[in-house]
Amino acid sequence: MAIIDPNGLFGGDRLRKCSDMARLYWPYLFLAANGFGRLEINYSHLVNRVFQGFTGPPAEDELYGYFREYRDNHLIFL
């Protein structure tokens, strides 16, 4: 079961270096990973699973930009 540590979410240095939108999407993308922390980075899959209740999901290039931010700040490993 994935658990988000509130201290990391609200006060983490690595997450703080990300843009506001990348920070807001982080919990949704984190929780979409499997029990081993693996996530298929596939736009249509993510839109259907993670962003199904959103009125406007991020565009493909925008979403991949957030993943680059997470990578650059050592929040994910590709």
Side-chain angles (χ1 to χ4, degrees):
M1 177 170 72
I3 298 173
I4 296 177
D5 179 8
N7 293 326
L9 183 64
F10 299 129
D13 292 334
R14 292 180 291 165
L15 195 54
R16 190 177 298 130
K17 292 178 184 177
C18 294
S19 67
D20 289 344
M21 292 308 296
R23 292 172 66 185
L24 289 172
Y25 288 138
W26 172 254
Y28 291 92
L29 294 167
F30 178 81
L31 293 175
N34 67 14
F36 299 102
R38 294 184 177 149
L39 176 67
E40 180 181 353
I41 301 176
N42 176 306
Y43 180 74
S44 58
H45 172 75
L46 291 170
V47 166
N48 290 330
R49 174 155 186 200
V50 176
F51 301 107
Q52 63 180 333
F54 286 61
T55 56
E60 186 172 4
D61 291 341
E62 185 181 1
L63 183 61
Y64 291 148
Y66 299 142
F67 279 110
R68 283 190 294 278
E69 288 186 57
Y70 302 144
R71 180 203 59 207
D72 293 347
N73 291 298
H74 308 286
L75 292 163
I76 63 169
F77 299 96
L78 300 175

